[in-house]
Amino acid sequence: MSVVQAASSLQLCRIMRPDDANIVGNVHGGTILKMIEEAGCIVGTRHCNTQDGDRCMAALVRVEKTEFLFPVFIGEVAHVTAEITYTSTHSLEVQVQVMSENILTGVKKLANKAALWYVPCSLKNVDKIMDVPPIKYASADQEELGRKRYGAQKMERQETKARIEDVVPPPPNPGQHTVGFSQSSLIHLVGPSDCTIHNYVHGGVTMKLMDEVAGIVAARHCRTNIVTASVEAINFHRKIIKGCVVTVTGRLTFASNKSMEIEVFVDASSLMEAGKEKYRAVSAFFTYISLDKANKALPVPPLKIDGEEEKRRFEEGNARYLQSKAKRLAEKERQE
Amino acid sequence: MSVVQAASSLQLCRIMRPDDANIVGNVHGGTILKMIEEAGCIVGTRHCNTQDGDRCMAALVRVEKTEFLFPVFIGEVAHVTAEITYTSTHSLEVQVQVMSENILTGVKKLANKAALWYVPCSLKNVDKIMDVPPIKYASADQEELGRKRYGAQKMERQETKARIEDVVPPPPNPGQHTVGFSQSSLIHLVGPSDCTIHNYVHGGVTMKLMDEVAGIVAARHCRTNIVTASVEAINFHRKIIKGCVVTVTGRLTFASNKSMEIEVFVDASSLMEAGKEKYRAVSAFFTYISLDKANKALPVPPLKIDGEEEKRRFEEGNARYLQSKAKRLAEKERQE
Amino acid sequence: MSVVQAASSLQLCRIMRPDDANIVGNVHGGTILKMIEEAGCIVGTRHCNTQDGDRCMAALVRVEKTEFLFPVFIGEVAHVTAEITYTSTHSLEVQVQVMSENILTGVKKLANKAALWYVPCSLKNVDKIMDVPPIKYASADQEELGRKRYGAQKMERQETKARIEDVVPPPPNPGQHTVGFSQSSLIHLVGPSDCTIHNYVHGGVTMKLMDEVAGIVAARHCRTNIVTASVEAINFHRKIIKGCVVTVTGRLTFASNKSMEIEVFVDASSLMEAGKEKYRAVSAFFTYISLDKANKALPVPPLKIDGEEEKRRFEEGNARYLQSKAKRLAEKERQE
């Protein structure tokens, strides 16, 4: 009995349970994101330790835009396949694919595809970034494509670093369908099970909390069964350590007639160290859609905009929406 | 208690999942108690670390009598708001409120109100109690009311210290509806997720285990859907450390025609240290009611009493029951 | 990116977390058993649904004797590989192998090998056992060996059915190192996360609870770091349904100078249905060893035996111990 598995790839799977899903049975996008990141972390950490020098952990720094192609349901088996697809001197890209399998009917569906970027941090000194051993490419073309993805994400990461801004508390008595009405926050005390062995929070745990808040915002706005449709690229600006309290806040930025865009902020603060200020660790845009009982898309109530700031964010959201739409159409045409 | 978030207040929320509830969908009282304590612990620990000196954790020493006003269901969002409402030299009071929100209908209900007392323990030496920085009160009246609550709980805590007694094993073949028939125990090996970062069990984890045992006792007695109606004041006599085994035992003390009172004991013992004996860490009285499918109260089978000890406990339970009833009536009249 | 995987085999893996292990960092035997059973259930259910007729779930009926060869630690990745190795008309055998991988050093070790027997139960009527589609064997020899294993386990399962007996409550004040001193019970309310989609408890969940109780018994007896060394064949006599309370009781039967044997019983009872009595669902023998800080075996305190029943059980345990030892020696000689 032997399933050969290369050092730079990995397969994991798990049955989806009631706690992984909402009350209608749709597995949360956050559950999927957490599994994807677990696979990426294993394959990345394993690869970076295939050389001499300090032992290290692969720390998640970025997830590329991710689309949820097919819903996964309770009782199905989610198969996650991860493979290292590019290495630079100090970072590596892992591409991950999630297949859902209904073991009663045998039907398999591609639920998700994602690309994650990791950097190896020394276990002795977490601020020291280690070198990444190079992988072998099947062709020069493949390497070249990887180099392009690397360059593109690097540029984007630098841009987004500046975009950090404060979350304004909602107005005291916001009307229905306004931004303030559905804005939501949760706090979570980081425990040992949330962490890697060097006591930093797994990126997947953070993404699961973000998806939970985004889901609450979406459900408050449209009061129906809602599911994650996609996530814009997420940059992990700062690490979060065990013993911190994280505050995760979500607010609507944009709504089309069939989708909602929710901006989610993750702020971390130490309970113990009064001097250390709260800091923005991650931020991202989640897109949700609303479904009826037959899993068909429902119309979304229009978002009531108030003030210059909300208007600006709405327009930026609209631009992202139009860009995504154009990209989807272009891909469809290419396939036909 | 307003939603603006000062250093001395906090809001957390979480969607209720299938594992938080019984098979009928009612969220366990223990789940609510655990959330309440998490909020209290964060706000208390944060406050006590806003000064120089050793870093410290807020350790739960007492929860005032708590009533479960409205049931919470799977899929609802529970909002927990915590605020520091009194500080003495070495302890602080946190008042917590739980609102349940049905995010599909928008209906919100006050599910629970609680008051918790914490003392700050140094992380360097857990037996050293730190000073608590004073809070500012909105008025002299508010401070005076807090001082009265502080005095009252202090007196009660001293009284209860003496009340510790052994739990007798049930008779070998107890008849139905006797005390021995429904008496139940569980053991739990304390794991990392149960603990604060200084390796002591969260008070909320202990309360959740206590509610679990009390619920099994109540269900064994009346074989219906049962829910937590209230909890008498709980005093945390001793701390429980990681690696301990806790034994949680519940037994019926009293039953009226619509409610059951269950006494719950928590004993802790180290698996490793032979010298250290088993000790009583906590004890409390839980009141349960029995519900039909429409969530209406059902009659409870009478409790069959055997021997002087059971009779004494029954009468004490009856006295608590009559006192609660009188208090509820007085409050009702005052409100009208 | 594709890792070919036959319908009759499966690989799953997971990082071991603090909650999977004891405070010294050894992953619980129960965590491993639960992963093994999840893999077996997926591969068995998938295989039995590759034909027409009612959809069905693979229900665990037996686990063969299992040895824990190497300890697994927090931070390591456990790889579980499962493959169907024999099919009879109404049952199938899954062989499972667990490799632990230290992703920092690259070291891999064989932690466990197990064989599980499943029967397919119709989802429409859980008492209806479905036919199992035959697998193809690599050789006639392989099929013949499988037939022998099938015959042997069938005989043993029929023998053990008769062995059900009551667990006697321990004496009120048992002395140290007696059977009564370390006897332990836990109760667990079966929740949705414990169950398959047809609301029956996963065999792996039951085994994890059994290992937890056995570990507490062993630690109470010798007050050191203890680990699961092996589990005798386990027969699952009856299914356990969602909403039941299970009582898991462990007691020492035998101790050699380096090992302890603990008998574990699982009794289930419905909280709701008064007519349905408590029933014995599973029983098994767990063997534990005691380890020092360097993971070397420590001597075990002798077990103080009292009465005819304890003496009989001790002698039976001793016979199993000698048989295992002889078998191990024979295998060692064969390998040299």
Side-chain angles (χ1 to χ4, degrees), chain A residues 42-63:
Chain A
I42 293 174
V43 86
T45 301
R46 176 200 278 161
H47 178 75
C48 295
N49 283 290
T50 54
Q51 60 186 354
D52 291 337
D54 288 4
R55 297 299 90 196
C56 58
M57 283 294 296
L60 182 68
V61 291
R62 182 178 163 90
V63 180

mmCIF file of all heavy atoms in Angstrom, chain A residues 42-63:
data_model
loop_
_atom_site.group_PDB
_atom_site.id
_atom_site.type_symbol
_atom_site.label_atom_id
_atom_site.label_comp_id
_atom_site.label_asym_id
_atom_site.label_seq_id
_atom_site.Cartn_x
_atom_site.Cartn_y
_atom_site.Cartn_z
ATOM 1 N N ILE A 42 1.749 23.272 5.543
ATOM 2 C CA ILE A 42 2.511 22.011 5.654
ATOM 3 C C ILE A 42 3.512 21.896 4.516
ATOM 4 O O ILE A 42 4.704 21.660 4.725
ATOM 5 C CB ILE A 42 1.561 20.781 5.636
ATOM 6 C CG1 ILE A 42 0.686 20.753 6.888
ATOM 7 C CG2 ILE A 42 2.356 19.481 5.515
ATOM 8 C CD1 ILE A 42 -0.375 19.654 6.884
ATOM 9 N N VAL A 43 3.024 22.084 3.302
ATOM 10 C CA VAL A 43 3.885 21.869 2.142
ATOM 11 C C VAL A 43 4.999 22.927 2.089
ATOM 12 O O VAL A 43 6.156 22.621 1.751
ATOM 13 C CB VAL A 43 3.015 21.790 0.854
ATOM 14 C CG1 VAL A 43 2.734 23.142 0.284
ATOM 15 C CG2 VAL A 43 3.625 20.868 -0.165
ATOM 16 N N GLY A 44 4.674 24.146 2.488
ATOM 17 C CA GLY A 44 5.673 25.218 2.490
ATOM 18 C C GLY A 44 6.733 25.008 3.564
ATOM 19 O O GLY A 44 7.937 25.146 3.315
ATOM 20 N N THR A 45 6.282 24.666 4.775
ATOM 21 C CA THR A 45 7.223 24.456 5.881
ATOM 22 C C THR A 45 8.127 23.271 5.586
ATOM 23 O O THR A 45 9.351 23.317 5.803
ATOM 24 C CB THR A 45 6.449 24.212 7.193
ATOM 25 O OG1 THR A 45 5.625 25.339 7.449
ATOM 26 C CG2 THR A 45 7.402 23.997 8.359
ATOM 27 N N ARG A 46 7.544 22.214 5.056
ATOM 28 C CA ARG A 46 8.335 21.029 4.731
ATOM 29 C C ARG A 46 9.432 21.377 3.720
ATOM 30 O O ARG A 46 10.594 21.016 3.903
ATOM 31 C CB ARG A 46 7.398 19.975 4.140
ATOM 32 C CG ARG A 46 8.095 18.725 3.680
ATOM 33 C CD ARG A 46 7.221 17.978 2.698
ATOM 34 N NE ARG A 46 6.206 17.162 3.357
ATOM 35 C CZ ARG A 46 5.121 16.723 2.740
ATOM 36 N NH1 ARG A 46 4.870 17.090 1.484
ATOM 37 N NH2 ARG A 46 4.266 15.952 3.372
ATOM 38 N N HIS A 47 9.045 22.102 2.677
ATOM 39 C CA HIS A 47 10.002 22.432 1.627
ATOM 40 C C HIS A 47 11.154 23.290 2.163
ATOM 41 O O HIS A 47 12.319 23.050 1.826
ATOM 42 C CB HIS A 47 9.296 23.153 0.480
ATOM 43 C CG HIS A 47 10.210 23.574 -0.623
ATOM 44 N ND1 HIS A 47 10.734 22.677 -1.527
ATOM 45 C CD2 HIS A 47 10.734 24.791 -0.946
ATOM 46 C CE1 HIS A 47 11.527 23.320 -2.364
ATOM 47 N NE2 HIS A 47 11.544 24.606 -2.039
ATOM 48 N N CYS A 48 10.835 24.294 2.973
ATOM 49 C CA CYS A 48 11.867 25.226 3.443
ATOM 50 C C CYS A 48 12.813 24.597 4.454
ATOM 51 O O CYS A 48 13.842 25.175 4.778
ATOM 52 C CB CYS A 48 11.224 26.474 4.044
ATOM 53 S SG CYS A 48 10.337 27.420 2.808
ATOM 54 N N ASN A 49 12.461 23.423 4.971
ATOM 55 C CA ASN A 49 13.338 22.751 5.911
ATOM 56 C C ASN A 49 14.149 21.626 5.264
ATOM 57 O O ASN A 49 14.771 20.841 5.962
ATOM 58 C CB ASN A 49 12.534 22.228 7.098
ATOM 59 C CG ASN A 49 12.172 23.344 8.063
ATOM 60 O OD1 ASN A 49 13.037 23.872 8.745
ATOM 61 N ND2 ASN A 49 10.902 23.711 8.101
ATOM 62 N N THR A 50 14.123 21.575 3.927
ATOM 63 C CA THR A 50 14.913 20.546 3.229
ATOM 64 C C THR A 50 16.351 21.010 3.019
ATOM 65 O O THR A 50 17.033 20.534 2.115
ATOM 66 C CB THR A 50 14.291 20.207 1.855
ATOM 67 O OG1 THR A 50 14.140 21.424 1.133
ATOM 68 C CG2 THR A 50 12.964 19.508 1.985
ATOM 69 N N GLN A 51 16.808 21.950 3.798
ATOM 70 C CA GLN A 51 18.184 22.447 3.678
ATOM 71 C C GLN A 51 18.769 22.633 5.080
ATOM 72 O O GLN A 51 18.053 22.553 6.074
ATOM 73 C CB GLN A 51 18.186 23.787 2.943
ATOM 74 C CG GLN A 51 17.361 24.837 3.670
ATOM 75 C CD GLN A 51 17.218 26.143 2.895
ATOM 76 O OE1 GLN A 51 17.821 26.319 1.862
ATOM 77 N NE2 GLN A 51 16.426 27.051 3.430
ATOM 78 N N ASP A 52 20.048 22.880 5.160
ATOM 79 C CA ASP A 52 20.683 23.129 6.449
ATOM 80 C C ASP A 52 20.347 24.546 6.943
ATOM 81 O O ASP A 52 19.756 25.341 6.221
ATOM 82 C CB ASP A 52 22.209 22.971 6.324
ATOM 83 C CG ASP A 52 22.559 21.505 6.099
ATOM 84 O OD1 ASP A 52 21.735 20.646 6.467
ATOM 85 O OD2 ASP A 52 23.633 21.228 5.524
ATOM 86 N N GLY A 53 20.734 24.851 8.170
ATOM 87 C CA GLY A 53 20.460 26.177 8.749
ATOM 88 C C GLY A 53 19.339 26.107 9.756
ATOM 89 O O GLY A 53 18.873 25.025 10.095
ATOM 90 N N ASP A 54 18.876 27.285 10.226
ATOM 91 C CA ASP A 54 17.799 27.316 11.222
ATOM 92 C C ASP A 54 16.568 26.570 10.713
ATOM 93 O O ASP A 54 16.226 26.660 9.525
ATOM 94 C CB ASP A 54 17.341 28.772 11.480
ATOM 95 C CG ASP A 54 18.377 29.563 12.266
ATOM 96 O OD1 ASP A 54 19.463 29.017 12.543
ATOM 97 O OD2 ASP A 54 18.069 30.727 12.600
ATOM 98 N N ARG A 55 15.878 25.881 11.635
ATOM 99 C CA ARG A 55 14.563 25.342 11.291
ATOM 100 C C ARG A 55 13.598 26.538 11.164
ATOM 101 O O ARG A 55 13.772 27.570 11.812
ATOM 102 C CB ARG A 55 14.054 24.383 12.368
ATOM 103 C CG ARG A 55 14.916 23.125 12.573
ATOM 104 C CD ARG A 55 15.016 22.262 11.330
ATOM 105 N NE ARG A 55 16.176 22.662 10.504
ATOM 106 C CZ ARG A 55 16.346 22.312 9.231
ATOM 107 N NH1 ARG A 55 15.458 21.560 8.620
ATOM 108 N NH2 ARG A 55 17.390 22.691 8.556
ATOM 109 N N CYS A 56 12.589 26.408 10.294
ATOM 110 C CA CYS A 56 11.697 27.557 10.068
ATOM 111 C C CYS A 56 10.258 27.122 9.826
ATOM 112 O O CYS A 56 9.990 25.955 9.557
ATOM 113 C CB CYS A 56 12.208 28.382 8.895
ATOM 114 S SG CYS A 56 12.336 27.431 7.372
ATOM 115 N N MET A 57 9.332 28.063 9.938
ATOM 116 C CA MET A 57 7.917 27.835 9.650
ATOM 117 C C MET A 57 7.546 28.714 8.468
ATOM 118 O O MET A 57 8.007 29.852 8.380
ATOM 119 C CB MET A 57 7.053 28.297 10.820
ATOM 120 C CG MET A 57 6.996 27.405 12.017
ATOM 121 S SD MET A 57 6.198 25.805 11.714
ATOM 122 C CE MET A 57 4.509 26.288 11.319
ATOM 123 N N ALA A 58 6.694 28.201 7.585
ATOM 124 C CA ALA A 58 6.190 29.021 6.489
ATOM 125 C C ALA A 58 5.061 29.907 7.022
ATOM 126 O O ALA A 58 4.064 29.396 7.515
ATOM 127 C CB ALA A 58 5.686 28.125 5.365
ATOM 128 N N ALA A 59 5.265 31.235 6.945
ATOM 129 C CA ALA A 59 4.235 32.171 7.417
ATOM 130 C C ALA A 59 3.506 32.745 6.217
ATOM 131 O O ALA A 59 4.131 33.210 5.255
ATOM 132 C CB ALA A 59 4.879 33.284 8.230
ATOM 133 N N LEU A 60 2.178 32.711 6.286
ATOM 134 C CA LEU A 60 1.357 33.196 5.176
ATOM 135 C C LEU A 60 1.464 34.710 5.045
ATOM 136 O O LEU A 60 1.259 35.430 6.021
ATOM 137 C CB LEU A 60 -0.105 32.804 5.417
ATOM 138 C CG LEU A 60 -1.105 33.182 4.328
ATOM 139 C CD1 LEU A 60 -0.862 32.373 3.070
ATOM 140 C CD2 LEU A 60 -2.535 32.964 4.822
ATOM 141 N N VAL A 61 1.793 35.199 3.854
ATOM 142 C CA VAL A 61 1.829 36.651 3.663
ATOM 143 C C VAL A 61 0.774 37.147 2.670
ATOM 144 O O VAL A 61 0.422 38.325 2.668
ATOM 145 C CB VAL A 61 3.224 37.151 3.203
ATOM 146 C CG1 VAL A 61 4.242 37.000 4.332
ATOM 147 C CG2 VAL A 61 3.698 36.421 1.954
ATOM 148 N N ARG A 62 0.245 36.240 1.844
ATOM 149 C CA ARG A 62 -0.735 36.708 0.850
ATOM 150 C C ARG A 62 -1.526 35.534 0.278
ATOM 151 O O ARG A 62 -0.972 34.460 0.038
ATOM 152 C CB ARG A 62 -0.001 37.423 -0.286
ATOM 153 C CG ARG A 62 -0.933 37.991 -1.356
ATOM 154 C CD ARG A 62 -0.121 38.729 -2.432
ATOM 155 N NE ARG A 62 -0.889 38.933 -3.636
ATOM 156 C CZ ARG A 62 -1.649 39.998 -3.876
ATOM 157 N NH1 ARG A 62 -1.716 40.961 -2.994
ATOM 158 N NH2 ARG A 62 -2.340 40.102 -5.004
ATOM 159 N N VAL A 63 -2.808 35.764 0.064
ATOM 160 C CA VAL A 63 -3.652 34.821 -0.677
ATOM 161 C C VAL A 63 -4.183 35.560 -1.892
ATOM 162 O O VAL A 63 -4.703 36.665 -1.762
ATOM 163 C CB VAL A 63 -4.839 34.335 0.184
ATOM 164 C CG1 VAL A 63 -5.709 33.356 -0.583
ATOM 165 C CG2 VAL A 63 -4.340 33.720 1.472
#
